[in-house]
Amino acid sequence: MFGAQFEQQLRFRSVREMSLKNVLEVLPNPENRIALSSEKDAMGIPKPQAHYAIDEYARRGHARSKQDFEQIARLMGGSNLRHSKEGVFANNQHICGTLSMGSDPARAVCDQWGRAFDHANLFLCSTGVLPTSGTCNSTENGLAVALRTVKHILDVQQGATA
């Protein structure tokens, strides 16, 4: 299609199509983690190895949202529904996790303030310390964690110099 026919079809379809997307929260799960692989890169450094699985909670949310999308389509007189392939979950690109906070150095990377257990002067202020992203962008949560950590560092410094 070209010219006027293309423009007519573009106008027709653009006001008659919609795309719905769900964003599912993946609950924190200690089995979902990044570990060091026995495989090494060109510099001899162990490569990261991801261990990740979609849990039943997210699968139930996916199934429910599919029902809700079908109901929306029915109410709007929609047809020609096309769902994502069964069992395929798109990446929502809200990168979180891999830097577990905790009180036990054997089970976490940093303490509740983001201070690395292995390096006393290293603070991790990022979305990496969040256990999950929920269903929203993680940037603001990462900023809140960073501001909280900075306040802690400043409070400790002022207490040390006072």
Side-chain angles (χ1 to χ4, degrees):
M1 260 183 267
F2 298 95
Q5 185 183 12
F6 174 76
E7 182 178 348
Q8 179 185 17
Q9 280 297 309
L10 181 63
R11 289 179 186 280
F12 178 85
R13 291 178 187 206
S14 65
V15 297
R16 289 172 175 80
E17 290 188 14
M18 79 180 340
S19 176
L20 298 174
K21 176 183 175 183
N22 62 6
V23 180
L24 303 168
E25 180 174 13
V26 177
L27 298 177
N29 178 350
E31 297 302 313
N32 287 346
R33 65 192 183 284
I34 302 294
L36 295 177
S37 170
S38 58
E39 194 177 328
K40 297 189 178 183
D41 66 13
M43 295 182 4
I45 298 170
K47 292 182 177 182
Q49 182 177 27
H51 301 271
Y52 182 79
I54 304 290
D55 63 8
E56 193 56 34
Y57 175 80
R59 290 181 189 282
R60 285 193 315 268
H62 174 70
R64 175 53 199 251
S65 67
K66 196 171 169 181
Q67 292 172 1
D68 292 342
F69 294 163
E70 289 168 358
Q71 177 67 7
I72 291 167
R74 274 193 296 279
L75 291 170
M76 295 178 71
S79 60
N80 193 24
L81 300 179
R82 291 171 287 180
H83 295 289
S84 299
K85 185 177 175 184
E86 194 62 40
V88 174
F89 296 86
N91 176 359
N92 70 8
Q93 300 183 20
H94 299 161
I95 308 301
C96 294
T98 72
L99 301 170
S100 303
M101 283 185 165
S103 57
D104 180 2
R107 298 181 50 84
V109 175
C110 60
D111 67 12
Q112 74 271 25
W113 302 108
R115 177 177 269 184
F117 287 117
D118 291 344
H119 304 282
N121 201 28
L122 174 62
F123 286 84
L124 307 165
C125 303
S126 76
T127 58
V129 299
L130 302 176
T132 181
S133 68
T135 59
C136 65
N137 294 330
S138 53
T139 303
E140 288 181 1
N141 294 331
L143 290 170
V145 167
L147 291 171
R148 178 181 171 269
T149 298
V150 167
K151 182 180 182 323
H152 171 74
I153 292 169
L154 292 174
D155 288 348
V156 168
Q157 282 184 338
Q158 289 172 356
T161 59

